[in-house]
């Protein structure tokens, strides 16, 4: 305790709490520290979907989360009957030496360390010195200066330590700037090792295989709020073939160039149009779930090596209708309501007949997602699409992702209208339920005929199961199938999947799991497919 007069004691006690709140502002003005914060936080966090793991990640938050107050009445938790009210009022009106939190609170009862107080004291001394230099020294009384000088002497060791820490940070920042790869770009990587086998039901043997996929992502920000993503991929994964050419049970790691060839398989750009509108441009392999909220908070989070095992279990197949080049927006109508609009063309780079950005295969999406709170959400989705090659659920390529062959290749030229509902609810931090239901109406443009396609699932997620960072998942549903399909292949095929992601370290996770497909290809005569997988994911 400092033994000063009662008035000076009040003054120092107030400065003890008040100047702490100004210290953030004082140190945030140091440009090197700001650069360090930007380098540390850039690309670290995720706006509404998987893209949120990309678009939001490049938004560097403001360094100063305090705001100067001009009147003590602006502080909601400071009352006139508080013992320090008059002293706070004195400091605000005389020196402007107090800042409050964004929510209008002061938090005067919060405990602080001597180092924190020293930082605040240093900021207040700087403020007094500023008043003197600018010719307003008449505001500074000799008594106040004497009190501040005593405090400065009392906390001189802490102030010296703080200056030493700042000097060390500046030197470290200078070293980082001198040796960094780029001032605008950071490199992220993912490597997946997979051991998988179809114990039964596969038509291309059932040998156990060891496969890999590697992705390197260059994330570039030009403004601090945008993100250009350039992804290089390679791998040697081979898809297990199930009867009748069905794509059921396709795993997320299967999306990779073959024979370990290297290619740019994703190129996208995220940027804000306004405070309420975020935009997305997909130049190479753009997909809707890059930016549209999928309302599958655990099974469709992070990279392909961190999600559920299969494409079907990750999120609704409606987000996999078409893809390619194009763009979209997320418009925040309110804090709880988001409108998503998007357009993607599968043959956007080809000038040939029935190709191009507007004359070939395309898909357009509209979705309204409502999140009444952090624990629940529901989305209503509509997709209109045209296919003149490939399949319906193919992300704009000829590589079918989910569903039976009867559902994907009903007709040669097809116009589809799809409707979906998606929802999730977190019962607790360790248990969540989500699911989806979708219907696609397909019409034959090369002749007569139509098809009704259905898909749905119920999914259970168990975050932090057994350990923080782990994830258990159980999925039961039906991949896209054609209702009333011509005989004999008109049976219901079910998808059952269970997996457990165990995090060894912050950067390594092992995910064993089993996928069971009944009546593959909508045909009970086909033997059920049972696929076992052990996926190891390295993030760097």
């Amino acid at each position: 305790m400092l033994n000063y007069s009662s008035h000076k004691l009040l003054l120092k006690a107030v400065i003890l709490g008040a100047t702490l709140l100004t210290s953030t502002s004082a140190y945030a003005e140091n440009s090197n520290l700001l650069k360090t914060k930007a380098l540390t936080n850039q690309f670290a966090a995720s706006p509404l979907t998987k893209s949120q793991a990309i678009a939001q990640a490049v938004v560097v938050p403001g360094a100063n989360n305090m705001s100067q107050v001009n009147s003590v009445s602006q502080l909601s938790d400071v009352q006139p009957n508080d013992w320090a009210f008059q002293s706070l009022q004195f400091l605000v009106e005389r020196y402007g030496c107090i800042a409050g939190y964004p929510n209008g609170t002061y938090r005067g009862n919060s405990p602080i360390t001597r180092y924190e107080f020293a930082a605040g004291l240093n900021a207040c001394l700087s403020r007094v010195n500023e008043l003197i230099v600018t010719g307003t020294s008449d505001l500074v009384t000799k008594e106040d200066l004497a009190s501040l000088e005593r405090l400065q002497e009392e906390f001189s060791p802490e102030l010296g330590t703080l200056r030493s820490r700042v000097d060390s940070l500046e030197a470290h920042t200078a070293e980082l700037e001198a040796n960094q790869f780029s001032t605008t770009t950071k490199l992220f990587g993912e490597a997946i090792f997979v051991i998988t086998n179809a114990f039964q039901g596969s038509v291309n043997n059932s040998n156990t295989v060891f496969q890999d996929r590697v992705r390197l992502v260059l994330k570039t920000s030009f403004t601090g709020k945008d993100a250009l993503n350039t992804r290089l991929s390679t791998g040697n994964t081979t898809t297990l073939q199930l009867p009748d050419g069905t794509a059921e049970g396709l795993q997320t790691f299967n999306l990779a160039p073959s024979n370990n060839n290297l290619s740019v398989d994703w190129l996208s750009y995220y940027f804000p149009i306004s405070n309420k509108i975020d935009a997305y441009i997909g130049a190479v392999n753009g997909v809707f779930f890059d930016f549209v909220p999928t309302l599958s908070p655990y099974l469709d989070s992070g990279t392909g090596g961190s999600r559920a095992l299969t494409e079907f279990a990750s999120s609704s197949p409606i987000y996999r209708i078409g893809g390619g080049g194009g763009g979209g927006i997320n418009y925040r109508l309110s804090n709880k309501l988001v409108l998503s609009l998007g357009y993607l063309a599968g043959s956007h780079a080809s000038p040939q007949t029935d190709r191009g950005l507007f004359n070939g295969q395309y898909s357009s999406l509209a979705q309204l997602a409502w999140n009444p709170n952090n624990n629940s959400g529901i989305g209503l989705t509509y997709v209109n699409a045209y296919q003149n090659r490939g399949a319906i659920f193919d992300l704009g390529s000829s590589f079918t992702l989910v569903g039976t062959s009867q559902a994907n290749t009903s007709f040669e030229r097809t116009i589809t209208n799809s409707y979906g509902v998606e929802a999730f609810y977190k019962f607790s931090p360790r248990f969540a339920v989500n699911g989806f239901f979708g219907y696609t109406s397909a019409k034959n443009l090369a002749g007569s005929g139509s098809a009704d396609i259905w898909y749905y699932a119920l999914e259970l997620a168990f975050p932090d199961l057994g350990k923080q960072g782990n994830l258990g998942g159980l999925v039961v549903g039906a991949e896209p199938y054609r209702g009333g399909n011509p005989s004999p292949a008109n049976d219901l095929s079910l998808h059952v999947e269970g997996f457990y992601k165990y995090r060894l370290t912050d950067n390594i996770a092992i995910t064993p799991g089993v996928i069971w497909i009944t009546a593959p290809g909508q045909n009970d005569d086909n033997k059920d497919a049972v696929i076992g997988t052990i996926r190891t994911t390295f993030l760097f």
Side-chain angles (χ1 to χ4, degrees), residues 261-489:
N261 294 321
L262 184 66
S263 69
V264 177
D265 74 334
W266 186 47
L267 181 62
S268 67
Y269 183 55
Y270 298 85
F271 61 97
I273 296 178
S274 68
N275 292 333
K276 292 187 176 182
I277 303 177
D278 296 314
Y280 162 86
I281 297 176
V284 177
N285 290 338
V287 293
F288 287 130
F289 56 79
D290 273 346
F291 68 97
V292 178
T294 61
L295 293 105
S296 182
Y298 294 111
L299 304 187
D300 191 30
S301 60
T303 63
S306 302
R307 293 152 51 197
L309 287 178
T310 65
E311 285 291 321
F312 173 72
S314 298
S315 58
S316 174
I318 200 169
Y319 302 113
R320 289 157 177 77
I321 299 177
I329 63 168
N330 285 320
Y331 178 31
R332 291 181 292 279
L333 301 174
S334 70
N335 292 333
K336 300 179 180 180
L337 199 62
V338 175
L339 173 65
S340 301
L341 301 172
Y343 176 90
L344 298 170
S347 53
H348 57 95
S350 174
Q352 299 177 9
T353 305
D354 293 332
R355 296 291 190 270
L357 187 60
F358 300 109
N359 296 319
Q361 178 174 333
Y362 76 86
S363 56
S364 56
L365 174 145
Q367 175 176 287
L368 195 62
W370 181 53
N371 293 86
N373 51 58
N374 293 331
N375 295 321
S376 61
I378 186 170
L380 301 175
T381 310
Y382 169 74
V383 176
N384 172 262
Y386 166 67
Q387 285 84 16
N388 58 5
R389 62 180 181 85
I392 293 176
F393 303 91
D394 68 351
L395 295 185
S397 67
S398 58
F399 191 71
T400 309
L401 288 163
V402 292
T404 67
S405 58
Q406 296 90 337
N408 273 286
T409 56
S410 302
F411 311 108
E412 182 179 350
R413 294 173 58 234
T414 309
I415 187 76
T416 62
N417 290 285
S418 302
Y419 311 87
V421 57
E422 308 81 30
F424 74 90
Y425 187 82
K426 299 178 183 178
F427 287 90
S428 74
R430 295 181 180 274
F431 176 58
V433 175
N434 59 274
F436 56 81
F437 178 87
Y439 164 72
T440 296
S441 174
K443 182 179 180 180
N444 185 9
L445 297 182
S448 60
S450 62
D452 297 319
I453 301 168
W454 307 87
Y455 36 97
Y456 41 84
L458 177 65
E459 304 175 326
L460 308 180
F462 304 90
D464 300 330
L465 182 61
K467 177 183 176 182
Q468 185 176 6
N470 293 354
L471 175 65
L474 179 63
V475 179
V476 179
E479 298 197 29
Y481 66 94
R482 181 173 178 177
N485 193 58
S487 183

